[in-house]
Amino acid sequence: ANAARERAAELVAAARPEDLYTVALVYAVLGDRELAATYVTKYLDDGGGNPAEFKARWFDGLRRDSALGSRLAAPPVIQSCEVPTP
């Protein structure tokens, strides 16, 4: 497992910003909350990520995190009951 983490760190060092989401997801699925949080933060700060992308259940623990949770809270979607005018 440690060798895999080291190799993943090497690959991520050269990753494109959009790859950071995938890395965060992998670590979240593996249960490595600390590394998942690290890559979620990098994705949001450096990769132009959107908090709404972290709705998957794998990120539930991070949404409850006191430091990161507020950043992952997607704003509510307000739907209008008005009928659009043609």
Side-chain angles (χ1 to χ4, degrees):
N2 287 336
R5 282 188 172 89
E6 289 173 17
R7 179 65 179 134
E10 291 172 13
L11 293 171
V12 169
R16 299 170 303 194
E18 58 270 15
D19 296 334
L20 295 172
Y21 173 86
T22 303
V23 176
L25 177 62
V26 167
Y27 282 120
V29 169
L30 290 174
D32 192 328
R33 188 172 172 168
E34 185 176 325
L35 280 173
T38 297
Y39 289 106
V40 165
T41 302
K42 284 183 181 188
Y43 181 61
L44 292 173
D45 293 344
D46 304 331
N50 184 336
E53 296 176 80
F54 295 97
K55 291 181 181 178
R57 67 182 179 100
W58 302 109
F59 297 110
D60 286 350
L62 295 177
R63 280 193 298 276
R64 290 190 293 270
D65 184 86
S66 60
L68 192 56
S70 62
R71 295 193 66 194
L72 296 183
V77 176
I78 301 173
Q79 296 184 356
S80 173
C81 59
E82 296 179 20
V83 177
T85 336

